[in-house]
Amino acid sequence: MLAPADSTLATVPTFNALSDIYTSDLLKHAARFQLLTEAFIATYGFKPSFIVRAPGRVNIIGEHIDYCGFPVFPMAIVPDSLIAVRATREHRIRLANINPKYPSREFSCESGSSVTINNTTHEWTNYFKCGYKGAIEAIDCTNPQGMECLMDSSVPSSAGLSSSSAIVCCAVLATMKVNGRLLPKGDVVETAVASERYIGTNGGGMDQTTSIMSQSQSAVFIEFDPELKITPVKFPSTDPQITFVIANTLVVSDKAVTAPVCYNLRVVETRIGALILAKHLGIADHRACKDADPLTFKVVMDEYFATQDTAGSDDVQVWIDHLDAMLHASTEAFGAHPDGYTREQMAAVLDMTPDALSAAVHEDRFPVRAQQFKLLQRAQHAFSEALRVVKFRQICESGNTRIDYYTALGDLMNCSQDSCRDLFECSCPEIDELCALARRSGSFGSRLTGAGWGGCTVHLVLKDRVGRFIAALKREFYEKHVPNMKDEALSDAIFVTTPGNGAAFYMFD
């Protein structure tokens, strides 16, 4: 159920001027679009009808809690995926990539249900196929148009900046537009989220929502439960200006490949945690919990406090009080198993067989491998991280000039990294090293961003110190780990970012 907000009901915009999409470096973007257009003509013999773009994202705070139902605080970045598209009368989808390391593919243009996706093979076109399949199903298209597509992406892959989701979003939008039925943004988000699960990753929706819904100069506070709600939030006006630097550890962690022992395992741990917490709180038989599929920590929290009268109360304080209470309850519920549960122990708590428990959390679609399930640590991270997100937004919107914004926001980011490392165990030695170095070099807040286990980090830095900060990281991290790295690759690995626009179509004059 989507919130009746203008942003979710509007459609993805169409522009014929790059200045409506990008706010800086227009000559650079124009050259890239021209190169893509010329490459399309060289590949297919015709000019594309349009180019669809969807940006990557950086999550400022709120890691691994979207699939727990809690709000997150990301922003779109300038790096994006582009797909040049031309409709054809043939019943084929032809896919090519401007990067020669990705081979061209094609598949039959049929109904969505007939599109096969082999998620056991790490293949770049799988992400397009996911978006195509989901879009055809969402618009109930029985006779889809053929397409010729050429892709280019400036979002680093397997880096925690949602390169895969940007491709899926582009594919969804391209398929809908070619087939003459472009759904509202909110429905596009839901389609993209469902589509990406065909690859075998049980994601929560932050990446696709940010890519589709973002606005220039604003981060987005995204709420998922009880309905999708997007609130643009500007960072505080400070002097020097708050700036965010993205630094890639260059440790590759593809979440689709490692899902059974990393990403999907964390999802399953939080879902089983929600089932056990609901039973501990005596609400497992309430309709809200019984009907929820999946049951999340957010649903459990809301149902536990459903009868509480909060009329006239400050919304932020209600959030804080409820999350604090859930932190205490999770310690009571899971504290007897600080080293984790076996499957048999979890099933026994829930009066289920292990097989029934696996079915309840959909392991048939998203299998996991683990001997111990650390429910205490995962719950503590989820509730405390949600608390940090709420406080981060509160500080940004406070308008209190007496606040030391740099320290207040930076401390929350640092605590988030500590929790990701110690409780959710999704960091890695290179992330820890880079964050520690960044703090010594002038960052007020440093943390992993994205799924973790490698990929990128994000750092809150004063604008007038960015040059010195980046130079320090290049010297003490990149020269150490990748001594012969070329300047262009280094510029892609560490860069300043500002909140960018969401997805758009570019039409030729």
Side-chain angles (χ1 to χ4, degrees):
M1 179 70 179
L2 294 172
D6 290 343
S7 60
T8 61
L9 298 177
T11 56
V12 168
T14 298
F15 302 112
N16 54 23
L18 292 181
S19 58
D20 293 324
I21 300 173
Y22 305 102
T23 58
S24 62
D25 297 324
L26 292 181
L27 291 178
K28 176 181 175 182
H29 294 300
R32 183 170 167 233
F33 273 61
Q34 182 63 30
L35 178 63
L36 181 62
T37 302
E38 292 173 355
F40 188 97
I41 295 171
T43 302
Y44 297 114
F46 296 92
K47 188 176 182 178
S49 304
F50 63 89
I51 294 175
V52 60
R53 61 88 61 174
R57 65 96 191 96
V58 59
N59 192 21
I60 303 301
I61 196 163
E63 221 61 74
H64 284 279
I65 59 172
D66 54 342
Y67 54 75
C68 298
F70 289 124
V72 292
F73 198 95
M75 66 184 192
I77 56 177
V78 175
D80 54 11
S81 287
L82 306 177
I83 299 183
V85 183
R86 176 179 172 269
T88 71
R89 295 182 182 274
E90 299 177 315
H91 293 289
R92 305 292 296 173
I93 305 296
R94 292 187 168 89
L95 305 174
N97 199 304
I98 208 163
N99 188 332
K101 80 174 185 178
Y102 298 115
S104 298
R105 306 290 190 203
E106 63 178 78
F107 61 93
S108 177
C109 174
E110 300 175 23
S111 63
S113 59
S114 67
V115 176
T116 58
I117 300 164
N118 181 4
N119 57 23
T120 64
T121 302
H122 189 43
E123 160 67 42
W124 77 272
T125 55
N126 279 348
Y127 293 103
F128 184 96
K129 284 184 174 182
C130 285
Y132 176 83
K133 179 179 175 68
I136 291 299
E137 292 171 348
I139 63 176
D140 195 24
C141 182
T142 57
N143 186 28
Q145 290 278 331
M147 289 192 287
E148 294 171 338
C149 304
L150 179 62
M151 198 189 90
D152 178 34
S153 180
S154 58
V155 187
S157 62
S158 302
L161 300 179
S162 297
S163 59
S164 57
S165 295
I167 296 172
V168 172
C169 289
C170 278
V172 168
L173 289 168
T175 304
M176 288 181 175
K177 188 170 184 67
V178 162
N179 288 284
R181 191 175 174 206
L182 187 60
L183 299 181
K185 285 183 180 181
D187 294 324
V188 172
V189 167
E190 290 187 347
T191 301
V193 172
S195 297
E196 195 160 344
R197 291 178 181 145
Y198 288 129
I199 205 71
T201 303
N202 196 4
M206 169 180 65
D207 303 348
Q208 301 85 353
T209 306
T210 310
S211 190
I212 298 295
M213 305 295 300
S214 288
Q215 300 176 17
S216 179
Q217 306 306 314
S218 294
V220 279
F221 182 82
I222 306 172
E223 298 170 77
F224 300 96
D225 186 272
E227 57 194 7
L228 180 64
K229 182 179 179 182
I230 293 89
T231 305
V233 179
K234 292 186 179 296
F235 294 105
S237 177
T238 58
D239 186 17
Q241 183 180 332
I242 288 174
T243 303
F244 292 98
V245 175
I246 295 174
N248 193 340
T249 63
L250 304 177
V251 175
V252 174
S253 179
D254 188 280
K255 77 181 179 185
V257 173
T258 62
V261 293
C262 293
Y263 191 90
N264 285 356
L265 176 58
R266 295 300 183 274
V267 176
V268 165
E269 286 175 314
T270 64
R271 299 276 161 82
I272 296 175
L275 291 169
I276 293 177
L277 184 60
K279 182 171 183 180
H280 171 79
L281 294 172
I283 59 174
D285 291 333
H286 289 202
R287 179 170 295 278
C289 293
K290 289 174 65 176
D291 291 351
D293 185 17
L295 182 63
T296 65
F297 283 136
K298 175 64 161 51
V299 172
V300 172
M301 183 180 79
D302 287 351
E303 180 59 20
Y304 184 69
F305 291 106
T307 60
Q308 184 184 64
D309 183 7
T310 58
S313 302
D314 177 72
D315 289 343
V316 173
Q317 192 57 51
V318 171
W319 268 103
I320 292 171
D321 291 344
H322 289 184
L323 289 165
D324 279 338
M326 288 297 101
L327 275 168
H328 178 72
S330 64
T331 301
E332 289 183 337
F334 310 120
H337 294 268
D339 298 322
Y341 292 73
T342 65
R343 285 183 181 273
E344 292 73 20
Q345 288 171 328
M346 295 186 299
V349 172
L350 293 167
D351 299 320
M352 290 180 171
T353 65
D355 287 345
L357 178 57
S358 293
V361 294
H362 302 295
E363 279 194 69
D364 55 328
R365 293 176 58 202
F366 307 104
V368 302
R369 299 192 303 272
Q371 297 299 317
Q372 295 286 322
F373 295 76
K374 296 186 177 181
L375 306 189
L376 172 63
Q377 293 87 342
R378 310 317 182 218
Q380 288 177 329
H381 169 79
F383 290 118
S384 65
E385 185 77 345
L387 190 56
R388 286 184 284 271
V389 171
V390 171
K391 290 181 177 179
F392 199 96
R393 177 187 174 181
Q394 181 187 37
I395 293 168
C396 285
E397 295 182 329
S398 68
N400 186 346
T401 57
R402 292 176 295 178
I403 293 178
D404 179 352
Y405 288 115
Y406 312 125
T407 300
L409 297 176
D411 284 351
L412 289 171
M413 293 174 66
N414 290 333
C415 288
S416 173
Q417 171 59 24
D418 292 345
S419 184
C420 286
R421 181 192 64 224
D422 299 334
L423 296 176
F424 223 70
E425 297 178 286
C426 59
S427 189
C428 70
E430 292 82 0
I431 289 175
D432 299 338
E433 177 188 352
L434 190 49
C435 287
L437 170 61
R439 291 167 191 162
R440 295 196 303 270
S441 302
S443 169
F444 282 84
S446 295
R447 59 180 299 277
L448 65 83
T449 186
W453 296 287
C456 283
T457 56
V458 59
H459 311 274
L460 192 161
V461 183
L462 305 188
K463 186 175 182 179
D464 62 356
R465 299 183 189 176
V466 165
R468 283 174 288 169
F469 175 79
I470 290 178
L473 266 58
K474 287 180 177 179
R475 181 177 62 253
E476 297 185 43
F477 184 84
Y478 293 101
E479 288 183 12
K480 170 185 172 183
H481 290 279
V482 195
N484 298 316
M485 195 172 187
K486 294 181 179 179
D487 289 343
E488 183 178 354
L490 192 54
S491 297
D492 290 338
I494 181 167
F495 57 92
V496 178
T497 191
T498 56
N501 277 312
F505 293 101
Y506 175 79
M507 301 297 293
F508 294 92
D509 293 331

